[in-house]
Amino acid sequence: MRVYVPKDAAARALGADAVAEALTREAEARGMEITLVRTGSRGMIWLEPLVEVEMDGLRHGWGPADPRDAAAILDGAGPKALGPVEELDWMKRQTRLTFARVGVVDPASLPDYAAHGGLAGLRRALEMTDAQIVAEVRESGLRGRGGAGFPTGLKWETVRTAPGPVKYIVCNADEGDSGTFADRMLMEGDPFCLIEGMAIAGLAVGAEKGFVYIRSEYPDAIAAMESAIAAARAGGMLGVSVLGSGRAFDMEVRVGAGAYVCGEETSLLNSLEGKRGTVRAKPPLPALEGAFGRPTVVNNVISLASVPTILANGAAAYAAQGLGRSRGTIPMQIAGNVARGGLFEAGFGMSLGRIVDDLAGGTASGRPVRAVQVGGPLGAYFGREKFDTPFGYEEFDGQGGLIGHAGIVVFDDSVDMLAQARFAMEFCAVESCGKCTPCRIGAVRGVEVLDRVAAGDPAALPLLADLCETMRDGSLCALGGFTPYPVMSAVTGFPEDFGGAREAAE
Amino acid sequence: MSMSEAPHAAEIGARLREIVAAHARLDGPLLPILHAVQAEWGHVPRSAIAPLADALNLTTAEVHGVVSFYHDFRDAPAGRHLLKVCRAEACQARGGRGIEDSARDRLGIEFGETTPDGAVTLEPVYCLGLCACGPAAMLDGTLHARLDSDRLDALLAECGA
Ligand SMILES: Cc1cc2nc3c(=O)[nH]c(=O)nc-3n(C[C@H](O)[C@H](O)[C@H](O)COP(=O)(O)O)c2cc1C
């Protein structure tokens, strides 16, 4: 009998290791033969640890499991039985292209990866020219999932045509945005998919070396990537002759050191080179002068991990999903105060209200939803009046927000929006790389000005608006440049929380 | 390493040379080396800066500049236990600020400090990627989710705090 227990960091933080041990012990006590496989997470975090048992070829779920549930699970019964996992509403309503294998396969096994459709994209890419691969990615409409939404094919074309004997693929796995965990889940649950995407990128632009820059806060993802890279080398997926093609590609993991700004691509490159993680002025574009001064593709984990399915099933199949200029699927991360939190991959276009009220089931606290921050600490706060906004790059931009890395953090009505605005400034001050003044000084002043707002100073709000304008227009990167999003969206969308100063002004 | 004296240059010299040699083939080896140094001594000893600069053909100012830029690298050892409490938005939405306060109150220290008996160092962390099951914290490398103040108390009791 095959039993699956997630090894995903969230599942482990909720006790999955103890559940796995209990299942092994219970099986031994019964003299029952089980094969216990540690997988990634299906993304239904509210049900973690979610144990699955294969029965008649179908995987049945139990969750959230406790070590005391081991006997019931092995009996195939009990109050936590969920039935076939693929039949659960949350699973059935998704279009899992990038996350197709996450939670399903053994992330440490290359044969398992290949048996579940892995390597098909890479095999096809090996039969194409570099220009054909880039064209395919371009036609898929894939845009960067790291936040800026830049067309991936266009970036690759710039690197492909850049002169130079040495080029690099750098995967941005710094995932510092609160409310996001898709990169982590992908690396822990299907690391070969990222490796495959990077190898295809290497073929497309003529790079033979890749780096995955992973934040140090993700020890499990680091371990999963390290072991998958070793297995990929041993299995001939990486190395001097990728899948026996005679084409070389290899890669290594680099570990960050706790700086949020190192997710910004030029800062990441400095960090990779062993320097302070300060932001570089652009131009030169990293595509032309990136890692170690060489032409470099810098892409987010999800951008790169979406490439294998695009190559395997064709650009058209991917582009058929989505809305407007947001093509394909987006793994939305539903987080914060929600009844059902987790990862949900679907074509772009679902309204924010449907995501929050329907998918997430409202708040965990049972109180009304008051604010939703989309796109991480640099994303705007939306109130219910914006719940009609469809999930797409242009659509969110049109409402004064951004989708960023697709993290959706829900707050109930106990939230103090002035405190949230203050936190945004405080975070910017803590994480500023210090290179430009609007960000370094502006964020510190921002905290002070918000304290004056809290104290009821009528002059403080106009000053705050002014300061935000300076930060937005004058910062070198989006850390200082976008911090005004959460701050000003809180002020304009939730003026009642800034009332002390407002009343005094009237 | 526990709260012992900072090691002297002579003591760390040999091991430091091994660490540098182990990373010799990497491009841009400084961060991997600093992680290895911190894993060895629990912090980046001041006495390691000059030999590192020497070995990597950098100035001591450059090496010091890198060490001081990153939140992860510490210039003194942490307490016997290291508690990192997530302070980011998704945890805030689920009562994270209350957990921050409990941790401070219970330990009688602020973020960035170590209890006088050297048992626990308390640090902030901005996201552990456990945003659908907060509030979250990491104790000595192990993750904990859906924390409440009782569970935090139990964790701290295990640390002897
Ligand atoms: C302060 C800051 C932090 C960022 N953090 C990340 C991050 O953690 N991961 C990421 O992929 N992109 C991050 N970005 C965006 C990157 O600069 C860049 O746009 C991205 O890596 C490009 O890859 P993509 O085109 O695949 O999205 C950040 C940007 C800024 C300004």
Side-chain angles (χ1 to χ4, degrees), chain A residues 144-146 155 172 174-176 260 263-265 298-300 303 478:
Chain A
R145 301 291 189 241
K155 185 182 286 185
N172 187 342
D174 202 48
E175 194 166 65
Y260 174 74
E264 195 282 332
E265 58 185 0
V298 183
N299 269 142
N300 172 254
S303 313

Side-chain angles (χ1 to χ4, degrees), chain A residues 6-8 10-11 39-45 48 96 99 102-104 185 189:
Chain A
K7 202 182 168 188
D8 176 275
T39 60
S41 167
R42 296 271 195 172
M44 295 176 281
I45 304 296
E48 293 289 1
R96 283 176 82 120
F99 280 76
V102 174
V104 177
M185 275 186 58

Side-chain angles (χ1 to χ4, degrees), chain A residues 216 254 256 258 275-276 420, chain B residues 27 35 65 70-72 92 97:
Chain A
S216 63
R254 285 299 172 90
K275 301 175 185 151
R276 291 165 69 88
Q420 295 311 116
Chain B
D27 293 317
H35 277 301
Y70 296 96
H71 300 304
D72 278 4
Q92 290 169 6
R97 289 180 203 259

Side-chain angles (χ1 to χ4, degrees), chain A residues 297-425:
Chain A
V297 168
V298 183
N299 269 142
N300 172 254
V301 173
I302 303 303
S303 313
L304 288 162
S306 298
V307 167
T309 176
I310 290 168
L311 268 289
N313 303 306
Y318 191 77
Q321 302 288 330
L323 167 82
R325 289 179 50 215
S326 307
R327 306 313 314 168
T329 58
I330 180 80
M332 294 174 286
Q333 299 127 85
I334 302 171
N337 196 335
V338 283
R340 291 186 294 271
L343 182 133
F344 191 96
E345 181 180 353
F348 284 94
M350 209 177 249
S351 74
L352 181 60
R354 221 175 125 211
I355 296 165
V356 173
D357 294 329
D358 181 10
L359 288 181
T363 62
S365 59
R367 303 173 67 105
V369 173
R370 176 145 188 251
V372 183
Q373 187 180 29
V374 181
L378 307 175
Y381 285 98
F382 278 19
R384 285 207 88 89
E385 72 283 359
K386 293 191 174 173
F387 272 22
D388 286 343
T389 314
F391 212 82
Y393 295 101
E394 280 69 31
E395 291 72 13
F396 263 66
D397 186 50
Q399 290 296 322
L402 50 102
I403 63 171
H405 189 46
I408 299 162
V409 178
V410 177
F411 293 78
D412 72 11
D413 64 352
S414 66
V415 67
D416 172 354
M417 295 307 293
L418 191 142
Q420 295 311 116
R422 187 185 189 281
F423 176 80
M425 284 291 189

Side-chain angles (χ1 to χ4, degrees), chain A residues 125-145:
Chain A
L126 282 167
E127 285 162 8
M128 295 161 77
T129 66
D130 56 353
Q132 284 171 332
I133 301 173
V134 172
E136 189 87 38
V137 171
R138 211 171 180 165
E139 282 156 24
S140 75
L142 178 66
R143 292 167 68 179
R145 301 291 189 241

Side-chain angles (χ1 to χ4, degrees), chain A residues 116 137 192 207 346 431 470:
Chain A
H116 285 81
V137 171
F192 294 109
E431 298 296 341
T470 305

